């Protein structure tokens, strides 16, 4: 081998060695990068798992702040911290570590609740009465006494919320006589807001009713020392009627009253108090009552808004004995009209049974005409007439196709009592009256009286008394005196989430931002 050849071989070997070294070096760095990438992937997986576990725990318990440190996850480790950073906002930091890699997920969460306020009013008409200035309605979230009291985990809510603008204005007008700090919340002092609700009160009331653990039928009066449920075993109490509480009463859970609610003495409830009724009812607090959680008043008010009307049917002249009477006719059947030909309850069959071939129909409404529409069809097609003070027509009986009266409000009707109508065969005490005569004999064969009934008010403890003036039009009467406290508490509501799934759905955690590093 010549010198030149030897040098060439040596150079080739050196070049090959350098190439092999470079390949090994590159492979080493590639493996190192792959290892770091794998470590970061596993650290990210640990951080994401920690975040999801913490989020799940917070959804079950909004007051949870413990977090954890150096918790094992497969071969990785993870940390979680939670802290409040503002009204109704939390910062959740989840950290995952594997090998030399660390990944951190930092998220700001907003706590959101379906309850807009400490006091929610879903009523079409209200009469509000407040006395003294010791009462407090607050939407600033607090823990209930059984949890030690103090500031709650959030979110804060409004003081009062109404689904009806007029009701909100009535409430504000009543509150304007007192210091502005008696009703507070996220809107500041004298915090009363109005608008639609983001959730279904009907479904919530149905869930309360179907899941009730204690049921009472009819009007109930509770006095003395009474305890419903406990902080660890909340009760769901249904009272299908009026309820009166006096003495020292403590409750933990949910209370659904389907009637009036009267609380005096030392009434205390942690959780949800839901009053659902129809027509003229009252919600009255006196003494030292307190609610920690949320208070809802709902008046479904079927039929005409703000009240109801009664009907009486008579079948002979000067009769003081009705053949049909229906109390709260519009509420019972959820209608705003009377349809004489198509509602068999109104006994138009009496006209057919009279044998009259030609009839004279008279409508008399001298005191309260207007406020509705009369629809009549005597064979020539329907006529729609603004409810008149009087109307008379003579027509073959078998040609009558329609006889219906639609009411726009109770203002179209006279307010009176059944006894006064039934015992006044001549004028029916001013009630709207439809009379049908046999046109040949001039004999009355049918009479219908419709009137706004001023009902007596039965108390939950028995007996009756005249209905307060404010309730004569069917308004819900809300009255407070003494040291009343209605305090919003998300923790007291959250305690019910496993018993009432719809309440659990009210508390949500909404991510506002999320950063990973």
């Amino acid at each position: 081998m010549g010198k030149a050849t030897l040098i060439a071989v040596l150079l080739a070997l050196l070049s090959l060695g350098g190439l092999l070294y470079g390949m090994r070096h590159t492979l080493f760095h590639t493996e190192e990068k792959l290892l770091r990438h794998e470590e970061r992937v596993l650290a990210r997986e640990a951080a994401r798992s920690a975040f999801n576990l913490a989020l799940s725990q917070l959804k079950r318990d909004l007051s949870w702040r413990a977090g954890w440190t150096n918790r094992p996850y497969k071969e990785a480790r993870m940390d979680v911290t939670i802290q409040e950073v503002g009204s109704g906002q939390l910062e959740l930091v989840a950290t995952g570590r594997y090998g030399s890699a660390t990944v951190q997920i930092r998220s700001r969460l907003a706590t959101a609740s379906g309850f807009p306020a400490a006091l929610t009013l879903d009523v079409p008409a209200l009469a509000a009465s407040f006395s003294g200035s010791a009462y407090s309605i607050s939407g600033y979230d607090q823990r209930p006494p059984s949890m030690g009291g103090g500031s709650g985990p959030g979110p804060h809510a409004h003081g009062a919320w109404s689904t009806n603008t007029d009701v909100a204005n009535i409430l504000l007008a009543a509150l304007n006589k007192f210091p502005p700090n008696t009703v507070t919340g996220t809107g500041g002092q004298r915090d009363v807001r109005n608008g639609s609700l983001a959730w279904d009160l009907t479904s919530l009331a149905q869930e309360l009713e179907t899941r009730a653990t204690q049921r009472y039928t009819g009007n109930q009066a509770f006095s003395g020392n009474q305890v419903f449920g406990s902080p660890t075993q909340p009760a769901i109490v249904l009272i299908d009627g009026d309820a009166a509480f006096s003495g020292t009463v403590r409750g933990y859970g949910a209370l659904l009253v389907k009637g009036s609610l009267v609380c005096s003495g030392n009434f205390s409830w942690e959780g949800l108090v839901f009053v659902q009724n129809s027509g003229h009812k009252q919600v009255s607090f006196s003494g030292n009552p307190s609610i920690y959680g949320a208070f809802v008043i709902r008046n479904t008010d079927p039929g005409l808004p703000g009240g109801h009307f009664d009907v009486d049917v008579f079948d002979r002249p000067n009769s003081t004995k009705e053949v049909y009477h229906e109390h709260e006719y519009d509420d019972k059947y959820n209608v705003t009209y009377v349809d004489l030909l198509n509602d068999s309850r109104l006994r138009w069959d009496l006209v057919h049974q009279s044998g009259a071939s030609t009839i004279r129909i008279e409508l008399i409404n001298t005191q309260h005409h207007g406020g509705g529409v009369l629809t009549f069809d005597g064979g020539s097609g329907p006529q729609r007439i603004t409810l008149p003070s009087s109307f008379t027509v003579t027509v073959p009986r078998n040609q009558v196709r329609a006889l219906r009266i639609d009411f726009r409000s109770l203002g179209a009707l006279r307010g009176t009592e059944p006894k006064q109508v039934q015992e006044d065969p001549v004028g029916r005490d001013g009630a709207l009256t439809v009379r049908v005569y046999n046109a040949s004999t001039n004999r009355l064969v049918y009479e219908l009286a419709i009137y706004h009934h001023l009902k007596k008010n039965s108390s939950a403890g028995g007996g009756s008394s005249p209905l307060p003036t404010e309730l004569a039009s069917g308004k819900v009467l809300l009255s407070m005196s003494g040291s009343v406290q209605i305090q919003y508490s998300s923790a007291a509501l959250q305690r019910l989430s496993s018993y009432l799934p719809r309440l659990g759905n009210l508390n949500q955690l909404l991510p506002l931002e999320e950063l990973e590093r």
Side-chain angles (χ1 to χ4, degrees):
M1 178 182 299
K3 183 183 290 186
T5 302
L6 180 60
I7 292 172
V9 171
L10 288 173
L11 289 172
L13 290 173
L14 288 172
S15 177
L16 179 61
L19 178 62
L20 291 174
Y21 174 80
M23 291 175 64
R24 286 196 300 271
H25 183 74
T26 300
L27 182 61
F28 173 79
H29 282 286
T30 299
E31 289 177 348
E32 188 177 20
K33 287 181 180 179
L34 286 172
L35 179 61
R36 287 199 297 269
H37 176 72
E38 289 175 356
E39 287 179 342
R40 185 165 181 82
V41 167
L42 293 172
R44 181 182 292 111
E45 181 184 342
R48 179 58 61 184
S49 295
F51 180 85
N52 291 337
L53 287 170
L55 196 62
S56 177
Q57 177 69 25
L58 280 170
K59 287 180 177 179
R60 292 192 301 271
D61 180 8
L62 272 175
S63 64
W64 179 65
R65 300 290 183 271
W68 58 74
T69 302
N70 205 32
R71 180 173 174 173
Y73 175 78
K74 299 180 181 178
E75 297 180 2
R77 297 281 171 172
M78 54 189 187
D79 305 330
V80 162
T81 61
I82 307 107
Q83 61 179 348
E84 298 178 27
V85 292
S87 174
Q89 291 191 18
L90 305 175
E91 185 178 63
L92 169 60
V93 179
T95 305
R97 300 188 306 279
Y98 184 87
S100 61
T102 299
V103 173
Q104 187 178 85
I105 298 174
R106 184 181 297 269
S107 178
R108 188 175 291 256
L109 307 169
T111 56
S113 172
F115 280 99
L119 169 63
T120 300
L121 296 167
D122 184 26
V123 300
L126 179 76
S129 173
F130 298 88
S131 61
S133 58
Y135 64 89
S136 171
I137 302 173
S138 175
Y140 292 123
D141 191 35
Q142 295 281 319
R143 288 182 172 85
S146 66
M147 292 184 177
S151 179
H156 298 312
H158 289 289
W161 186 280
S162 171
T163 58
N164 183 291
T165 303
D166 292 338
V167 168
N169 290 335
I170 289 169
L171 185 61
L172 273 171
L175 294 171
N176 283 339
K177 303 174 185 177
F178 302 98
N181 62 357
T182 54
V183 180
T184 57
T186 54
Q189 296 185 340
R190 203 169 278 132
D191 183 22
V192 178
R193 296 293 183 269
N194 69 274
S196 59
L197 295 174
W199 41 280
D200 186 0
L201 281 177
T202 300
S203 298
L204 179 57
Q206 289 172 346
E207 186 172 75
L208 285 166
E209 189 162 354
T210 56
R211 292 176 175 263
T213 58
Q214 295 177 235
R215 298 174 182 270
Y216 300 88
T217 302
N219 298 341
Q220 303 293 324
F222 302 93
S223 60
N225 294 324
Q226 300 272 344
V227 179
F228 298 89
S230 70
T232 56
Q233 291 187 314
I236 303 174
V237 181
L238 166 63
I239 300 175
D240 193 358
D242 296 343
F245 295 91
S246 60
T248 300
V249 176
R250 289 179 292 129
Y252 306 87
L255 171 64
L256 173 60
V257 177
K258 299 178 71 175
S260 291
L261 173 64
V262 178
C263 296
S264 59
N266 298 311
F267 174 87
S268 172
W269 197 277
E270 294 185 9
L272 173 65
V273 176
F274 195 125
V275 177
Q276 175 165 287
N277 50 46
S278 61
H280 29 246
K281 298 293 181 180
Q282 62 178 318
V283 177
S284 175
F285 289 91
S286 60
N288 300 288
S290 64
I291 296 173
Y292 277 81
F295 185 29
V296 178
I297 304 174
R298 186 176 187 232
N299 188 294
T300 53
D301 198 18
L304 285 174
H308 68 271
F309 62 80
D310 286 14
V311 298
D312 287 322
V313 174
F314 306 89
D315 66 344
R316 58 180 61 89
N318 299 319
S319 176
T320 57
K321 177 61 178 175
E322 74 282 0
V323 296
Y324 174 72
H325 169 78
E326 189 62 75
H327 171 59
E328 298 185 356
Y329 177 90
D330 60 325
D331 285 358
K332 185 172 183 179
Y333 302 113
N334 195 20
V335 295
T336 58
Y337 57 84
V338 288
D339 191 343
L340 281 71
L341 270 64
N342 295 309
D343 185 347
S344 61
R345 290 180 291 259
L346 298 179
R347 299 299 308 274
W348 187 255
D349 61 295
L350 294 171
V351 178
H352 294 282
Q353 293 172 17
S354 71
S357 59
T358 303
I359 57 176
R360 185 175 76 254
I361 302 172
E362 295 182 356
L363 181 147
I364 304 167
N365 191 32
T366 55
Q367 293 198 34
H368 295 272
H369 58 87
V373 175
L374 167 66
T375 301
F376 174 74
D377 184 354
S380 302
Q383 306 173 53
R384 290 176 58 82
I385 308 165
T386 299
L387 190 59
S389 59
S390 64
F391 172 84
T392 301
V393 63
T394 300
V395 64
R397 175 180 56 80
N398 59 8
Q399 289 187 13
V400 179
R401 302 285 186 269
L403 183 55
R404 169 171 163 154
I405 306 171
D406 288 81
F407 302 105
R408 287 194 296 269
S409 72
L410 289 170
L413 297 168
R414 158 83 161 146
T416 182
E417 297 285 344
K419 183 177 180 180
Q420 293 173 232
V421 170
Q422 293 159 11
E423 295 184 358
D424 178 19
V426 176
R428 298 301 176 199
D429 197 38
L432 188 155
T433 306
V434 178
R435 291 172 175 167
V436 181
Y437 296 85
N438 183 323
S440 300
T441 64
N442 204 35
R443 180 179 182 276
L444 186 141
V445 297
Y446 176 89
E447 184 176 22
L448 171 68
I450 313 162
Y451 50 95
H452 178 194
H453 175 199
L454 299 180
K455 182 186 176 184
K456 297 290 184 180
N457 183 35
S458 296
S459 66
S464 64
S465 58
L467 198 66
T469 303
E470 295 88 346
L471 300 187
S473 61
K475 297 177 181 178
V476 172
L477 172 60
L478 173 63
S479 64
M480 291 187 185
S481 61
S483 301
V484 183
Q485 183 174 21
I486 301 175
Q487 176 65 59
Y488 182 73
S489 175
S490 63
L493 295 172
Q494 185 67 17
R495 192 158 57 189
L496 286 167
S497 60
S498 60
Y499 299 88
L500 298 168
R502 288 189 179 275
L503 275 186
N505 294 336
L506 298 181
N507 293 296
Q508 302 174 4
L509 291 168
L510 308 176
L512 299 179
E513 61 180 1
E514 182 177 308
L515 301 174
E516 178 183 315
R517 64 181 186 183

